[in-house]
């Protein structure tokens, strides 16, 4: 039978067991030192041992003794004040040992650092003596070697030893008589008085908010901190705001205006501890090394000692309670426990508090929107409504700035409708610059307000960054008045510090913006109506002024003055010229400002001046694709120096130019110039109205000029007709007297009268008789007569009249296919027309050229199936003819009578009369250039059509080329 070997015990473990027994046998505190010193020096190799007992009433450590490397033990029995935040205070408050590589290099030990230098102590470890988490004292062990501390088994053995030491110190201090007075500490939570008082104070209030305030005040009275604060979580973001706090003196005004707030991120490790249900307790020096210390919160509260406990609803931290002191302070268990009880009471009220907050926010938002809507409906002064809205919004959002910006489609900028605070005098904020495409899309597609928490680091709304930065706006919210639709106006609130905006604030701002959108839209309609009324009045006045006068100079000045009123510009001028001229002059009313001057005496070369030439070229553009194609818009900087010689005002920036042209087929009669400051922009309404008024001015200008030209021509021709008629009358009278005398002589001397003389007398008498109707019936207008003559007689008389040109140019003139016909009608006018055609053919024909006259009878069917016949007389020659003359002759109905034309002088002037006379007589006259280069003059005469007004040429739709 074998026996089991006893377990092997190491010397270190045996020393620990022996030291433990010795400690448990002691009856006095000083008796604990020999076993501790023996174990520390022999088992652990330490050269320094110091035991001190914690006096909670005096906030000090009372030395019990120990050993040092040099034998100086006087310091080991002194009373050491426990400085809040010192390393010894940290060890006691956190109940955790601290290892130091060099005791004399630790600045937080105060006088122990100097002692370590004298005693030669390097590596050290400080153990708290704790019993049931209640601090009782410290044990400090040290070595003369740098960095030498406990490791491995020594560290584990020392932990066991400190547990036994804590129990023995509690046993010995409890039985030790003390002459000190009892400590005045916080009432023990184990009794019902504090908790009962808390509940009693809270139950006396009527509302939940009053109960919370009463609870905080009771807690503050029990714990006596410098400040007791309640932080409550924001409804919509991870932010904790100090809802209320209690201190010995009233709150400052700045604190009331600016509630303190801290984010979950800024709480750091403290938030994790609070979320775990822990109570965080720190003093000044603890906060340096503790991972759970809320450094940012202590900076905000300006405190050096703080204890915080969470208000939990499930796992969510609804808020937290804090006790604060301006000086370092070791918080005791009673204070922490009482704070925990108050937090648990507040946790019961958290759901109701949150519901009341949400309901209050909703009611406040509804009240604001409702009041604003009612004010819009009731108030006639929209500016006053906007100002009231700005004040309400600034108060609601604690904002330093409130703007309502209206989009200006003309400048693409945003005009300021509302600015709060109100500007002083006329110093209204200038319009916000145009938005970039991405920012425009951002606002146009947003269905709720956009929150920019830190605008200094934002790229959104970058176009407004300079303007808002000048106002020191660092955080803002923006909402459109028409969310999800075309942008009309924008509501903006801004603060001078970065802000975490809540979702309810965004929703409220969007609701207010939608309500203000009605006012903004009404203002835009009012502005548009005012603008349209101003344009309408100016248009009617301008049209009436153009119709009241037939004086060209007065019409020009009146039109320019009303265009100046219409466009609201300081300068309007007209560069005009007579038809066919290349140099124009300037007509302009006095400018509205001396810096918008123009040289009225200057002469303008209309085809050399770039601005005038550009306007003339633009007036030929097609208006179907671009109704503003005739309008030239440019700047003074882009003008040619030749234009700036006469358009010389130094303040001229924007320039408009448009030609006075009624139709592309007609010549322009001038170019209108409009000038204004560099920043001026014109709306589409103004431009369209300008074009309309300029068109009417062009028609009035053309009509007056045409009337003047035609009146002058009529007066000239009337004078000429009177003069020639009287001269022909006089010549007729003298010829008639001579003819009578000649006939009387023939009658008186029949024996001397030669047959030839008798024939000449008869011929002269016949010619005089043919002149009599001309002098009596066709004085001021042509009359249609009916005569008969053979075609051969008519042609012979006509050819006899051009005999001079035939001989002069040695022409070969031949009549082809001459039929035997008798023509009925106004034979004298027919002969003149044939003579004019043959004369022109002879004049343009080259020497020894050929002129052919072709005769041809034509038949056709007229209206009602009646058979009709015509005589076609075609004259061909090889002469040169101006193509423009042919074009003008075929477009008589569309001829611009103000423009220089080939019909203003012979032969075009004579041919124009022939064409008009043929139309009146029922003839058809055409003139063409044939493919072989010959010129064809074609006259068609009706033979059996009694009505000379209308007849049909079914077989003559195209001219037939003579052989």
């Amino acid at each position: 039978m074998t026996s089991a070997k006893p377990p092997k015990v190491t010397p270190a473990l045996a020393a620990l067991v022996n030291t433990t027994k010795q400690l448990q046998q002691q009856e006095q505190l000083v008796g604990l030192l020999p076993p501790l010193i023996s174990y520390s020096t022999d088992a652990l190799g330490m050269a320094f041992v110091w035991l001190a007992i914690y006096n909670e009433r005096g906030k000090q450590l009372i030395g019990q003794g120990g050993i040092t490397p040099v034998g100086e033990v006087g310091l080991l029995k002194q009373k050491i004040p426990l400085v809040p935040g010192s390393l010894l205070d940290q060890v006691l408050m956190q109940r955790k040992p601290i290892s130091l590589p060099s005791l004399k290099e630790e600045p937080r030990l105060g006088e122990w650092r100097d002692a370590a230098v004298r005693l030669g102590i390097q590596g050290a470890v400080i153990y708290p003596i704790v019993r049931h988490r209640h601090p009782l004292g410290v044990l400090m062990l040290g070595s003369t070697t740098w960095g030498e501390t406990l490791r491995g088994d020594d560290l584990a053995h020392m932990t066991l030893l400190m547990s036994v030491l804590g129990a023995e110190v509690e046993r010995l201090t409890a039985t030790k008589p003390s002459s000190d007075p009892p400590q005045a500490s916080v009432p023990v939570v184990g009794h019902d008085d504090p908790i009962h008082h808390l509940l009693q104070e809270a139950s006396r209030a009527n509302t939940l908010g009053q109960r919370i305030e009463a609870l905080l005040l009771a807690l503050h009275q029990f714990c006596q901190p410098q400040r007791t604060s309640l932080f409550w979580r924001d409804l919509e973001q991870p932010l904790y705001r100090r809802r209320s706090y209690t201190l010995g003196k009233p709150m400052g005004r700045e604190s009331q205006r600016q509630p303190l707030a801290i984010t979950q991120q800024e709480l750091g490790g403290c938030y994790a501890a609070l979320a775990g249900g822990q109570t965080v307790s720190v003093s000044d020096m603890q906060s340096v090394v503790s991972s759970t210390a809320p450094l940012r919160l202590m900076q905000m509260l300006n405190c050096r000692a703080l204890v915080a406990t969470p208000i939990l609803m499930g796992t969510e931290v609804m808020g937290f309670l804090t006790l604060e002191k301006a000086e370092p302070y070791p918080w005791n268990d009673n204070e922490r426990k009482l704070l925990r009880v108050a937090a648990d009471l507040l946790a019961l009220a958290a759901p109701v508090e949150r519901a009341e907050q949400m309901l209050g926010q909703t009611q406040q938002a509804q009240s604001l929107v409702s009041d604003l809507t009612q004010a819009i409906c009731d108030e006639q002064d929209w500016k006053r409504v906007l100002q009231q809205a700005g004040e309400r919004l600034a108060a609601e959002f604690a904002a330093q700035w409130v703007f309502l910006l209206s989009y200006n489609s003309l400048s693409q900028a945003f005009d300021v409708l509302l600015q709060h605070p109100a500007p002083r005098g006329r110093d209204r904020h200038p319009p916000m610059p145009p938005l970039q495409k991405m920012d425009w899309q951002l606002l146009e597609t947003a269905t709720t307000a956009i929150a920019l928490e830190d605008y200094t680091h934002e790229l959104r709304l970058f176009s407004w960054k300079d303007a808002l930065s000048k106002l020191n706006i660092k955080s803002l919210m923006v909402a459109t008045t028409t969310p999800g639709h075309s942008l009309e106006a924008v509501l903006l609130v801004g603060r001078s510090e970065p802000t975490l905006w809540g979702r309810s604030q965004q929703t409220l701002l969007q609701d207010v913006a939608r309500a203000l959108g009605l006012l903004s839209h009404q203002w835009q309609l009012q502005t548009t109506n005012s603008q349209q009324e101003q344009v309408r009045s100016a248009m009617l006045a301008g049209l009436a002024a153009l119709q009241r006068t037939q004086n060209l100079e007065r019409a020009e000045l009146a039109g320019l003055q009303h265009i100046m009123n219409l466009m609201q510009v300081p300068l309007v001028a007209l560069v005009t010229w007579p038809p066919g001229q290349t140099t124009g002059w300037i007509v302009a009313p006095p400018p509205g400002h001396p810096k918008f001057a123009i040289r009225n005496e200057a002469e303008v070369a209309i085809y050399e001046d770039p601005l005038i030439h550009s306007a003339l070229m633009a007036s030929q553009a097609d208006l179907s694709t671009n109704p503003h194609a005739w309008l030239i818009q440019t700047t003074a900087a882009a003008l040619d120096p030749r234009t700036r010689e006469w358009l010389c005002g130094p303040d001229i920036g924007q320039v408009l130019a448009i030609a006075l042209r009624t139709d592309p087929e007609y010549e322009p009669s001038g170019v209108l110039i409009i000038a204004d400051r560099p920043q001026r922009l014109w709306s589409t309404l103004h431009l369209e109205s300008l074009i309309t008024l300029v068109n009417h001015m062009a028609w009035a200008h053309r009509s007056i000029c045409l009337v003047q030209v035609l009146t002058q021509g009529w007066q000239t021709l009337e004078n000429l007709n009177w003069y020639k008629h009287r001269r022909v009358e006089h010549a007729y009278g003298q010829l008639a007297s001579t003819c009578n005398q000649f006939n009387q002589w023939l009658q008186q001397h029949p024996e001397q009268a030669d047959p030839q003389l008798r024939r000449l007398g008869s011929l002269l008498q016949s010619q005089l008789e043919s002149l009599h109707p001309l002098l009596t019936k066709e004085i001021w207008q042509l009359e249609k007569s009916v005569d008969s003559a053979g075609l051969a007689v008519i042609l012979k008389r006509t050819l006899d009249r051009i005999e001079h040109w035939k001989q002069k140019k040695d022409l070969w003139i031949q009549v082809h296919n001459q039929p035997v016909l008798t023509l009925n009608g106004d034979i004298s006018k027919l002969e003149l027309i044939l003579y004019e055609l043959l004369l022109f053919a002879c004049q343009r024909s080259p020497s020894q050229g050929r002129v052919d006259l072709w005769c041809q009878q034509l038949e056709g069917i007229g209206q009602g199936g009646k058979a009709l016949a015509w005589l076609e007389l075609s004259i061909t020659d090889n002469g040169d003819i101006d193509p423009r003359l042919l074009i003008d002759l075929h477009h008589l109905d569309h001829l611009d009578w103000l423009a220089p034309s080939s019909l203003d002088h012979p032969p075009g002037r004579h041919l124009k009369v022939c064409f008009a006379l043929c139309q009146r007589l029922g003839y058809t006259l055409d003139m063409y250039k044939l493919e072989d280069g010959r010129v064809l003059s074609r006259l068609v005469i009706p033979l059996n059509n009694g009505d000379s007004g209308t007849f049909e040429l079914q077989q003559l739709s195209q001219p037939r080329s003579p052989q």
Side-chain angles (χ1 to χ4, degrees):
M1 191 175 166
T2 60
S3 61
K5 294 183 179 181
K8 186 177 180 181
V9 180
T10 62
L13 185 58
L16 175 62
V17 173
N18 186 37
T19 302
T20 301
K21 292 180 179 180
Q22 293 180 16
L23 292 175
Q24 294 174 344
Q25 296 172 0
Q26 303 303 319
E27 298 296 333
Q28 294 182 352
L29 284 175
V30 294
L32 301 176
L33 278 173
L36 290 175
I37 294 173
S38 176
Y39 179 78
S40 299
T41 56
D42 297 340
L44 303 179
M46 294 294 175
F48 173 76
V49 177
W50 178 57
L51 174 65
I53 300 301
Y54 174 52
N55 183 356
E56 187 175 5
R57 289 173 298 177
K59 304 297 180 182
Q60 60 184 355
L61 291 173
I62 302 174
Q64 303 299 313
I67 62 169
T68 67
V70 295
E72 182 181 343
V73 295
L75 179 64
L76 303 181
K77 293 187 178 181
Q78 292 182 1
K79 294 181 179 180
I80 306 298
L82 193 60
V83 180
S86 65
L87 193 60
L88 293 175
D89 178 63
Q90 176 183 332
V91 171
L92 281 175
M93 294 300 102
Q94 294 187 346
R95 286 89 166 167
K96 294 180 181 179
I98 292 179
S99 296
L100 303 173
S102 177
L103 193 63
K104 59 184 179 181
E105 295 178 3
E106 178 54 55
R108 292 176 293 173
L109 280 173
E111 58 182 297
W112 273 110
R113 179 184 181 186
D114 299 333
V117 174
R118 296 195 309 270
L119 300 176
I121 303 172
Q122 293 275 0
V125 59
I126 304 176
Y127 278 95
I129 302 174
V130 180
R131 182 63 174 173
H132 301 302
R133 294 193 57 80
H134 185 69
L136 300 176
V138 295
L139 176 66
M140 185 186 301
L141 305 178
S143 171
T144 57
T145 304
W146 188 92
E148 183 174 347
T149 56
L150 301 179
R151 296 179 179 85
D153 292 342
D154 293 342
L155 185 61
H157 295 165
M158 195 63 194
T159 302
L160 295 175
L161 181 63
M162 292 306 300
S163 178
V164 175
L165 180 61
E168 297 306 315
V169 170
E170 183 187 38
R171 176 177 60 85
L172 295 175
T173 54
T175 58
K176 178 182 178 181
S178 176
S179 60
D180 296 332
Q183 182 182 2
S185 60
V186 177
V188 180
V189 181
H191 299 86
D192 292 335
D193 293 342
I195 298 177
H196 179 73
H197 184 71
L198 290 178
L199 294 174
Q200 201 172 38
E201 289 295 323
S203 63
R204 290 175 181 172
N206 296 324
T207 64
L208 180 61
Q210 293 175 350
R211 292 176 183 179
I212 292 176
E213 296 297 333
L215 182 64
L216 292 179
L217 182 59
L219 177 65
H220 184 80
Q221 292 173 348
F222 273 106
C223 298
Q224 294 297 315
Q226 289 182 315
R227 186 167 48 236
T228 301
S229 300
L230 169 61
F231 286 82
W232 211 262
R233 183 185 174 102
D234 191 91
L235 290 175
E236 300 160 354
Q237 51 191 347
L239 180 71
Y240 292 89
R241 304 183 187 275
R242 185 166 63 180
R243 168 178 164 163
S244 61
Y245 57 93
T246 305
L247 51 117
K249 58 182 180 179
M251 292 183 291
R253 295 182 179 179
E254 184 64 26
S255 299
Q256 295 178 7
R257 287 198 302 265
Q258 301 290 340
L260 187 144
I262 187 169
T263 64
Q264 178 178 314
Q265 183 178 4
E266 288 176 321
L267 285 172
C270 178
Y271 177 79
L274 294 176
Q278 301 180 23
T279 298
V280 178
S281 174
V282 292
S283 63
D284 187 24
M285 295 309 299
Q286 288 173 302
S287 64
V288 178
V289 296
S290 175
S291 61
T292 60
L295 299 180
R296 175 60 180 158
L297 180 61
M298 295 182 71
Q299 291 176 359
M300 291 179 177
L301 296 172
N302 193 24
C303 67
R304 299 179 66 184
L306 177 140
V307 59
T309 191
I311 301 171
L312 298 174
M313 188 171 69
T315 59
E316 182 181 1
V317 181
M318 296 297 298
F320 55 89
L321 271 173
T322 62
L323 303 178
E324 307 150 29
K325 281 184 176 290
E327 298 297 331
Y329 176 76
W331 305 100
N332 57 50
D333 288 342
N334 291 334
E335 293 166 334
R336 288 189 289 270
K337 291 177 181 178
L338 192 58
L339 186 66
R340 178 74 255 178
V341 171
D344 291 340
L345 292 175
L346 290 174
L348 297 175
V352 179
E353 172 69 14
R354 168 166 288 193
E356 286 187 354
Q357 284 185 353
M358 294 178 65
L359 181 60
Q361 287 185 358
T362 302
Q363 291 177 344
Q364 190 174 10
Q366 290 178 348
S367 173
L368 178 60
V369 176
S370 176
D371 293 347
L372 183 58
T373 305
Q374 187 66 32
I376 293 175
C377 296
D378 296 343
E379 184 65 52
Q380 298 298 323
D381 187 359
W382 62 270
K383 292 183 178 180
R384 180 181 177 185
V385 174
L386 284 180
Q387 196 59 41
Q388 292 175 349
E391 295 173 0
R392 290 285 301 272
L393 287 172
E396 177 67 27
F397 294 100
Q400 284 75 43
W401 291 98
V402 178
F403 286 100
L404 180 61
L405 309 173
S406 176
Y407 175 64
N408 188 329
S409 59
L410 183 60
S411 63
Q412 297 185 346
F414 288 81
D415 298 328
V416 178
L417 295 185
L418 163 65
Q419 175 183 340
H420 181 82
R424 295 181 179 178
R426 297 184 179 179
D427 297 333
R428 181 176 288 277
H429 194 279
M432 292 293 181
L435 288 173
Q436 297 177 354
K437 183 178 180 180
M438 294 185 62
D439 290 334
W440 181 274
Q441 294 175 348
L442 173 68
L443 291 178
E444 198 168 40
T445 56
T447 57
T448 187
I450 299 172
L452 305 181
E453 298 172 356
D454 190 352
Y455 190 48
T456 56
H457 299 94
E458 278 283 355
L459 295 179
R460 292 177 291 179
L461 300 182
F462 188 79
S463 304
W464 295 351
K465 199 155 195 175
D466 291 341
L468 297 180
S469 297
K470 292 179 181 179
L471 301 176
N472 196 30
I473 294 180
K474 297 182 179 179
S475 180
L476 57 94
M477 275 198 303
V478 180
T480 65
T481 59
T482 53
H485 297 84
S486 298
L487 200 58
E488 290 187 4
V490 173
L491 181 61
L492 182 150
V493 296
R495 290 181 179 174
S496 57
E497 70 280 343
T499 304
L500 293 174
W501 302 98
R503 184 167 299 277
S504 64
Q505 291 177 314
Q506 293 175 255
T507 304
L508 174 59
L509 187 69
Q510 184 60 75
D511 293 340
V512 174
R514 188 180 286 107
L516 290 178
L518 300 175
L519 203 58
S520 171
H521 189 69
Q522 180 180 355
W523 176 84
Q524 290 178 343
L525 290 178
Q526 180 179 341
T527 303
T528 302
N529 291 338
S530 300
Q531 187 181 77
Q532 290 176 346
E533 182 60 29
Q534 180 264 330
V535 169
R536 174 181 171 275
S537 300
M539 284 280 293
L540 293 177
L543 294 176
L546 292 174
Q547 295 171 0
R548 277 196 299 264
T549 179
Q550 286 297 314
N551 182 279
L552 186 60
E553 294 183 358
R554 287 203 297 266
E556 288 174 342
L557 289 175
L560 295 177
Q561 188 64 53
H562 284 89
I563 289 177
M564 183 182 292
N565 295 336
L566 169 68
M567 301 299 287
Q568 296 294 302
V569 293
L571 175 62
V572 175
L574 176 65
V575 179
T576 185
W577 56 89
Q581 297 298 317
T582 59
T583 302
W585 61 84
I586 299 173
V587 179
H593 195 280
K595 292 188 177 181
F596 288 88
I598 190 169
R599 292 180 55 199
N600 295 63
E601 73 281 359
E603 293 185 350
V604 181
I606 59 178
Y607 294 109
E608 296 179 4
D609 189 277
L611 179 62
I612 303 300
H613 182 66
S614 299
L616 295 178
M617 295 299 295
S619 65
Q620 298 177 354
D622 184 11
L623 297 178
S624 60
T625 56
N626 181 12
H628 300 164
W630 285 18
L631 190 63
I632 299 294
Q633 300 188 53
T634 185
T635 61
L639 292 178
D640 190 90
R642 290 171 288 182
T643 304
R644 290 295 281 173
E645 288 181 1
W646 54 271
L647 194 61
C648 54
D651 280 5
I652 293 176
Q654 295 293 329
V655 178
L656 299 178
I658 183 172
L660 266 64
R661 193 170 201 160
T662 56
D663 191 271
E665 295 183 357
Y666 296 156
E667 289 295 319
S669 58
V671 173
L672 185 75
I673 306 296
I674 296 175
D676 205 344
R677 61 188 185 277
Q679 299 81 13
R680 178 63 190 271
L681 296 172
W682 287 281
S683 65
T684 303
L685 175 64
H686 280 93
L687 295 180
E688 291 177 349
S689 302
L690 170 66
I691 293 174
T692 301
L693 192 55
V694 168
N695 286 339
H696 282 81
M697 184 176 178
W699 276 109
H701 199 267
R702 173 179 172 80
S703 299
I704 295 173
C705 291
L706 185 59
V707 168
Q708 289 180 348
V709 168
L710 296 180
T711 301
Q712 183 179 2
W714 166 71
Q715 292 175 346
T716 301
L717 293 176
E718 190 176 53
N719 297 336
L720 180 62
N721 180 69
W722 171 83
Y723 168 73
K724 287 187 175 183
H725 187 78
R726 293 308 183 197
R727 289 293 302 271
V728 171
E729 268 186 341
H730 180 67
Y732 173 80
Q734 289 180 338
L735 286 175
S737 177
T738 302
C739 183
N740 289 333
Q741 292 177 8
F742 180 72
N743 289 332
Q744 289 177 2
W745 182 84
L746 288 176
Q747 292 176 1
Q748 293 173 0
H749 304 84
E751 69 283 356
Q752 297 181 5
D754 186 84
Q756 181 68 18
L757 289 176
R758 291 182 179 277
R759 189 181 66 82
L760 291 175
S762 299
L763 182 61
L764 182 58
Q765 184 67 33
S766 176
Q767 293 295 331
L768 285 173
E769 291 177 356
S770 67
L771 281 176
H772 186 265
L774 175 66
L775 295 175
T776 58
K777 296 181 180 180
E778 295 184 297
I779 301 176
W780 295 108
Q781 62 182 2
L782 296 176
E783 295 292 339
K784 185 176 180 181
S785 62
V786 180
D787 300 319
S788 297
L791 177 61
V793 176
I794 295 174
L795 293 180
K796 184 178 184 307
R797 288 200 296 249
T798 305
L799 292 174
D800 290 343
R801 295 185 67 177
I802 63 170
E803 183 66 24
H804 168 72
W805 284 96
K806 176 181 178 181
Q807 294 178 4
K808 180 179 179 179
K809 302 187 75 171
D810 193 15
L811 298 175
W812 185 85
I813 300 177
Q814 183 66 39
V815 179
H816 303 277
N817 304 330
Q818 178 180 336
V820 179
L821 287 174
T822 299
L823 300 180
N824 300 317
D826 201 330
I827 302 301
S828 60
K829 293 182 177 61
L830 176 59
E831 288 184 12
L832 290 176
I833 293 171
L834 282 174
Y835 166 73
E836 202 69 49
L837 296 177
L838 283 170
L839 176 62
F840 186 33
C842 293
Q843 289 176 343
R844 66 175 175 262
S845 295
S847 297
Q848 299 181 351
R850 176 173 177 171
V851 177
D852 294 296
L853 196 154
W854 306 84
C855 302
Q856 184 179 6
Q857 284 187 267
L858 304 173
E859 294 180 356
I861 305 300
Q863 294 179 354
K866 181 180 179 181
L868 299 176
W870 297 273
L871 173 63
E872 178 183 358
L873 299 177
S874 300
I875 302 171
T876 59
D877 63 87
N878 293 314
D880 293 330
I881 190 171
D882 183 8
R884 187 69 221 177
L885 175 60
L886 296 178
I887 295 174
D888 291 344
L889 288 173
H890 285 86
H891 294 83
L892 287 173
D893 294 338
H894 304 284
L895 194 64
D896 186 0
W897 299 105
L898 291 177
S901 169
S902 61
L903 306 182
D904 293 340
H905 48 78
R909 192 167 192 174
H910 298 166
L911 291 174
K912 177 178 65 174
V913 175
C914 291
F915 270 75
L917 194 56
C918 284
Q919 185 177 9
R920 182 170 182 177
L921 295 174
Y923 302 163
T924 300
L925 177 60
D926 290 314
M927 189 173 287
Y928 300 97
K929 185 126 185 186
L930 300 176
E931 294 179 357
D932 56 7
R934 292 182 296 167
V935 178
L936 169 65
S937 301
R938 178 170 171 263
L939 178 64
V940 180
I941 305 168
L943 296 179
N944 58 352
N945 184 13
D947 183 6
S948 62
T950 304
F951 55 91
E952 230 176 275
L953 298 179
Q954 295 182 349
Q955 300 176 358
L956 303 177
S957 58
Q958 293 294 334
R960 299 171 61 184
S961 176
Q963 300 296 324

